[in-house]
Amino acid sequence: MPIAHVLGVPRIGPNRELKFALEKFWRGEMDASALHATGRAIRLENWEKQRAAGLDFVTVGDFAFYDQMLDHILLLGCEPARFGFADEDALTRAFVMARGQARAENRDCGCGRQGAAHNARALEMTKWFDTNYHYLVPEFSQDTDFRPGAERLFEEIAQAQAAGFNPKPVLIGPLTFLFLGKEKSAGFNKLELLDRLLPVYGGILARLKKQGIEWVQIDEPILSLDLPAEWRAAFERAYHALNGAGPNILLASYFGPLRDNLPVAIRLPVAGLHVDAVRASEELATVIDWLPMHKVLSVGVVDGRNVWKTNLGAKLERLRGLHEKLGPRLWIAPSCSLLHVPASLAPEDRLDPEIRNWLAFADEKLGEIAILKTALEHGRETVAAALAANAEAVESRRNSPRVHDEAVAGRVAALQENDAHRASAYREREKAQQARLCLPALPTTTIGSFPQTPEIRAARARHKKGELTDAEYRAAMRREIELAVRRQEALGLDVLVHGEAERNDMVEYFGEQLDGFALTRYGWVQSYGSRCVKPPIIYGDVSRPAPMTVEWIAYAQSLTLKPVKGMLTGPVTMLQWSFVRDDQPREQTCLQIALAIRDEVLDLEKAGIAIIQIDEPAYREGLPLRKSDWQRYLDWASRAFRISASGVADATQIHTHMCYSEFNDILPAIAAMDADVITIETSRSDMELLHGFGKFRYPNAIGPGVYDIHSPRVPTTGEIRQLLEKAAAVIPPDRLWVNPDCGLKTRGWPETEAALANMVAAARQLRASVAGSA
Ligand code: GLN
Ligand code: ZN
């Protein structure tokens, strides 16, 4: 009898109930007890679904008001001292650590407590492995202490038990918790904290046992990473210490194969192991060979990272053998937590029914696990109808003409080496572009978007509801574009943008217009805290039935004599921020998108647009978890970018933009994209990051961001000039551009205009001094 369970489920609520409650609470429109009630309701509904699906446990501890790593900081009592917490409750602490506390609140607070607690920067946030989820980064120093902290986990367990559920709590493992944290003092290795941390975990496990818990799931996803030897060795020690302290431990690894960590993982003194049988299916046989006789194996057969229906027939074939071998020691589950997929297909009433029938979101994945369990337990015939329906859906997807477009496949197959290269080298292109554009030294520009004002958002909402006709909406957007152009002219910027007023989102906007993409109405996935994204679904061969941006950009260009930059999202970012089909390599899908973007680039060029920016903010995110897999990815990713960009004449200037701060380890691959100009985020690091570009001798032009658009603060001309001087010391001034860090859509117009005015002034000052010294 196989045990069926899940590693975790979405917590934002099927209608984003948690998001709206959090935002109300932060605005002071809801009190803590109402927020807690919302959390409780979401958990109960999730547990009810798990029980209804026939799972053997309900998972507890996967809920968080903001983030699960943050909750572990509280659970383990290691809030950084800089927050100066005294008697605040756990919820208050959580939100101060997650969101920081504004200086403004500090001014007259009158509480008598100095500084820290009321003037604290939020914890840093970073991506959870290769997902689009962001966790809050624990901070560690020599002085970090651990002690029994927040009670919520134990309360949630009691709550589940009181409601008649059989809970299996989940914890983030001690090694993953430490590994993902940041060392805040020099000359110190966070692994030294393990001995201090383990007794606190031991105490938690003992309490769980006292609460009557039989199994606890401990997540150690770092087992799918390249681990330093000392970290790998520490696993053995840690789990020796924890084994026997409490309930049976199911150690969960996910997001990739174990590879060199396999021997360690499999020998750990724990009662069971969970493996990701979707991303590491080829490793399953080895795991089973090596698995000690007494251990449980939880096989993650349903893809927790994607939205496609599982081929249940094929999985059952595989599981049948395992079941014979392992008997009751076989557990089945999704590959990882379902946090990374939308909650339910049920409300998707506008999805094309054929495509909808190919999909499974979190609720439907629970159903799949239930079918597999029943089939193994009572025989396939007991779920014959469900299996037949599943087989039919799988078959329909495999053969559908909606998925396969011979013309697209043919185009990809026909790609030649020179399709991925500009006609001339950068040096020659630069001359042709300069002759055409006549830009001053240190040209000024922006990254694309201008403030998405309440008026713009209202117009879009009314258009969606049918209250504005297409023509009325178009006219409203044209007015916004004209306004943006006039403001940029008044500011004296050299290269203008149209401002992206007509775009809801940089991926969705294109996804809506490309064939092969489907958009959901409610397919929200948590990104961090209350923020959610709604990734498009790439179900079929991608092509561009008609131009997507030409009319807007050409209109903007018609208003001014200054060059207007065309603005597109690049193929790697489109891929990275979507759910991608799993029936062909990602690389293939990326090439198809690249060709669609290439068509758009060429149409913009034909319409007289001299500069085209192809944004790739997600280029780095696509890096595989294991370093040995990086180069292969970077090769196809940079090629896809070049295919999108290389159809144009020498005199057309291609820009790209990336907005994160770690590129030094992939500089050769960024150079391999061969954009004429790259704009990047650097202001927050005080231009430190540029040294990498300087040392590497980045060959083309660079626009290091000279001010941080994430903050409403208006930088002074002096500050910007200082940053520019630092940049000019590293990058030859004839290849230096002047621009903010990223797009301005989240800002308001007054601060945007003030900051850009200072930016233009700083550029002019430096231009004069560069000219003077030349
Ligand atoms: N062109 C986009 C904008 O300005 C780029 C956004 C991004 O880098 N994420 O909004
Ligand atoms: Zn950006």
Side-chain angles (χ1 to χ4, degrees):
M1 220 177 63
I3 300 276
H5 72 128
V6 285
L7 305 199
V9 295
R11 54 189 173 229
I12 204 76
N15 297 306
R16 288 183 292 162
E17 289 83 350
L18 182 59
K19 171 195 176 66
F20 299 119
L22 283 170
E23 288 168 358
K24 268 195 186 155
F25 178 77
W26 293 333
R27 286 196 303 263
E29 295 164 19
M30 183 187 256
D31 64 10
S33 73
L35 181 60
H36 278 292
T38 304
R40 201 156 46 235
I42 291 173
R43 292 193 295 273
L44 280 171
E45 190 180 341
N46 280 336
W47 296 333
E48 197 46 68
K49 281 179 183 168
Q50 291 168 54
R51 174 160 66 190
L55 303 195
D56 294 273
F57 298 106
V58 299
T59 301
V60 179
D62 55 345
F63 179 83
F65 280 108
Y66 201 100
D67 167 50
Q68 73 267 14
M69 283 292 276
L70 178 66
D71 279 2
H72 278 68
I73 296 174
L74 293 154
L75 174 70
L76 302 165
C78 58
E79 298 90 332
R82 69 181 178 85
F83 289 104
F85 290 132
D87 47 10
E88 298 86 346
D89 60 29
L91 201 60
T92 309
R93 291 174 180 222
F95 294 147
V96 169
M97 288 192 282
R99 312 176 70 227
Q101 205 140 44
R103 264 163 232 265
E105 291 168 32
N106 187 25
R107 261 177 224 141
D108 293 311
C109 105
C111 82
R113 215 183 306 136
Q114 283 288 314
H118 292 266
N119 195 6
R121 256 180 313 108
L123 293 175
E124 246 178 70
M125 205 166 54
T126 193
K127 276 169 150 304
W128 179 247
F129 297 82
D130 60 350
T131 72
N132 280 328
Y133 179 79
H134 300 73
Y135 69 93
L136 289 159
V137 181
E139 295 177 0
F140 300 127
S141 71
Q142 272 102 332
D143 306 324
T144 300
D145 238 330
F146 303 95
R147 53 175 178 78
E151 286 288 308
R152 215 188 63 229
L153 175 67
F154 309 107
E155 289 163 9
E156 287 182 7
I157 290 168
Q159 208 180 81
Q161 289 168 328
F165 297 106
N166 180 22
K168 175 208 60 182
V170 47
L171 293 169
I172 291 171
L175 286 150
T176 292
F177 183 71
L178 285 180
F179 193 82
L180 298 182
K182 194 164 179 179
E183 289 160 358
K184 283 293 186 181
S185 51
F188 143 82
N189 175 352
K190 60 197 175 187
L191 188 53
E192 289 162 22
L193 298 175
L194 184 61
D195 290 327
R196 259 180 256 170
L197 178 57
L198 288 175
V200 181
Y201 268 93
I204 293 169
L205 294 178
R207 269 188 78 177
L208 295 180
K209 189 167 188 175
K210 239 196 237 142
Q211 280 189 295
I213 296 298
E214 192 192 346
W215 281 92
V216 58
Q217 167 193 327
I218 303 191
D219 286 4
E220 291 283 15
I222 61 168
L223 286 166
S224 61
L225 303 181
D226 296 316
L227 288 180
E230 51 170 0
W231 283 83
R232 202 180 301 134
F235 267 90
E236 189 98 20
R237 183 155 58 92
Y239 284 89
H240 264 293
L242 298 183
N243 189 32
N248 293 316
I249 295 174
L250 178 76
L251 187 96
S253 91
Y254 43 81
F255 294 154
L258 293 159
R259 293 192 190 164
D260 48 348
N261 300 324
L262 190 145
V264 169
I266 214 146
R267 276 198 313 261
L268 289 177
V270 291
L273 181 68
H274 170 88
V275 292
D276 184 333
V278 175
R279 286 198 170 180
S281 67
E282 72 289 349
E283 217 175 51
L284 194 55
T286 319
V287 169
I288 290 160
D289 276 353
W290 289 28
L291 192 78
M293 276 304 290
H294 60 277
K295 267 192 201 177
V296 156
L297 183 68
S298 166
V299 186
V301 281
V302 166
D303 194 347
R305 293 290 299 274
N306 216 331
V307 292
W308 307 107
K309 267 186 185 160
T310 306
N311 183 341
L312 295 176
K315 296 290 173 180
L316 267 179
E317 275 311 302
R318 190 108 198 254
L319 286 171
R320 221 190 25 219
L322 292 183
H323 193 216
E324 273 162 22
K325 202 156 180 176
L326 298 171
R329 293 191 291 129
L330 174 69
W331 290 25
I332 51 174
S335 58
C336 61
S337 168
L338 299 175
L339 181 68
H340 311 292
V341 294
S344 172
L345 259 182
E348 296 297 342
D349 50 359
R350 294 207 197 146
L351 263 180
D352 177 285
E354 188 184 358
I355 295 168
R356 191 178 186 276
N357 189 38
W358 302 337
L359 301 174
F361 294 171
D363 283 357
E364 292 75 28
K365 286 175 195 284
L366 289 184
E368 293 187 338
I369 293 290
I371 296 168
L372 290 173
K373 177 182 159 87
T374 313
L376 287 171
E377 216 167 284
H378 304 294
R380 290 175 87 123
E381 57 297 344
T382 56
V383 278
L387 288 176
N390 173 268
E392 204 178 306
V394 167
E395 206 49 30
S396 125
R397 185 177 159 217
R398 187 177 293 147
N399 300 321
S400 172
R402 316 278 298 271
V403 172
H404 306 284
D405 180 337
E406 303 235 323
V408 175
R411 251 186 111 181
V412 171
L415 276 170
Q416 301 289 319
E417 180 57 23
N418 62 8
D419 291 326
H421 295 281
R422 298 285 294 269
S424 310
Y426 171 72
R427 282 288 159 212
E428 276 161 66
R429 300 188 322 247
E430 186 199 20
K431 278 184 219 130
Q433 290 161 19
Q434 190 49 23
R436 177 177 183 188
L437 294 163
C438 302
L439 293 169
L442 305 167
T444 54
T445 189
T446 60
I447 304 304
S449 57
F450 273 117
Q452 286 265 329
T453 57
E455 296 75 49
I456 295 179
R457 270 180 267 137
R460 181 154 36 252
R462 293 186 57 206
H463 180 227
K464 232 179 181 169
K465 276 193 231 148
E467 294 168 18
L468 280 189
T469 64
D470 289 354
E472 286 166 336
Y473 176 69
R474 266 226 321 270
M477 293 303 114
R478 281 182 168 234
R479 281 195 295 278
E480 297 293 340
I481 289 171
E482 171 157 23
L483 203 73
V485 168
R486 296 293 166 242
R487 283 178 165 149
Q488 293 172 85
E489 283 186 321
L491 284 161
L493 288 153
D494 300 309
V495 171
L496 312 194
V497 296
H498 79 299
E500 302 182 25
E502 81 290 5
R503 301 190 189 170
N504 36 4
D505 170 277
M506 65 185 289
V507 172
E508 193 173 56
Y509 178 79
F510 292 96
E512 278 169 350
Q513 302 187 64
L514 288 168
D515 282 349
F517 278 75
L519 281 306
T520 65
R521 292 182 80 188
Y522 308 98
W524 297 101
V525 179
Q526 192 176 17
S527 169
Y528 66 89
S530 66
R531 297 294 190 94
C532 300
V533 294
K534 196 156 64 66
I537 296 170
I538 308 177
Y539 64 86
D541 290 336
V542 176
S543 60
R544 187 198 67 146
M548 304 181 282
T549 65
V550 177
E551 194 193 324
W552 300 116
I553 308 289
Y555 173 67
Q557 185 64 83
S558 75
L559 300 169
T560 178
L561 294 173
K562 294 255 176 97
V564 172
K565 231 182 342 182
M567 197 54 59
L568 303 171
T569 302
V572 181
T573 298
M574 295 283 296
L575 186 82
Q576 208 51 37
W577 291 350
S578 300
F579 287 113
V580 179
R581 54 194 287 197
D582 59 356
D583 57 349
Q584 68 180 18
R586 285 173 79 79
E587 164 182 358
Q588 193 73 10
T589 304
C590 196
L591 286 176
Q592 296 179 354
I593 306 170
L595 283 170
I597 303 290
R598 181 183 174 103
D599 294 344
E600 186 73 11
V601 167
L602 291 176
D603 279 345
L604 284 168
E605 183 182 53
K606 228 183 278 159
I609 303 303
I611 307 182
I612 299 159
Q613 178 171 312
I614 307 171
D615 287 323
E616 284 291 17
Y619 191 71
R620 190 175 205 290
E621 288 175 29
L623 281 175
L625 293 174
R626 299 282 195 155
K627 216 157 190 164
S628 52
D629 301 333
W630 279 21
Q631 198 52 51
R632 229 194 72 72
Y633 161 75
L634 290 168
D635 287 346
W636 65 251
S638 62
R639 176 160 178 262
F641 178 86
R642 288 196 312 273
I643 285 171
S644 73
S646 294
V648 294
D650 285 358
T652 299
Q653 190 169 69
I654 298 288
H655 289 214
T656 189
H657 165 70
M658 299 182 182
C659 47
Y660 39 78
S661 39
E662 297 163 77
F663 5 62
N664 287 348
D665 52 353
I666 56 164
L667 275 174
I670 291 178
M673 293 163 78
D674 198 24
D676 296 301
V677 181
I678 181 172
T679 58
I680 50 172
E681 173 184 325
T682 32
S683 73
R684 277 188 288 188
S685 80
D686 205 26
M687 297 286 146
E688 284 307 316
L689 289 161
L690 270 190
H691 287 280
F693 280 81
K695 250 195 236 138
F696 170 75
R697 296 188 176 279
Y698 182 77
N700 306 1
I702 308 184
V706 291
Y707 84 85
D708 178 11
I709 58 89
H710 299 92
S711 157
R713 206 179 70 86
V714 173
T716 64
T717 304
E719 278 169 53
I720 296 178
R721 180 163 171 183
Q722 250 176 16
L723 287 179
L724 272 178
E725 278 166 357
K726 280 192 175 176
V730 184
I731 310 293
D734 61 328
R735 279 190 269 138
L736 191 56
W737 282 64
V738 181
N739 47 262
D741 263 349
C742 192
L744 295 157
K745 67 174 165 212
T746 57
R747 299 266 65 95
W749 270 111
E751 78 236 31
T752 295
E753 289 191 283
L756 290 177
N758 291 349
M759 184 184 90
V760 170
R764 287 187 178 151
Q765 285 177 12
L766 197 65
R767 225 174 258 167
S769 73
V770 169
S773 67

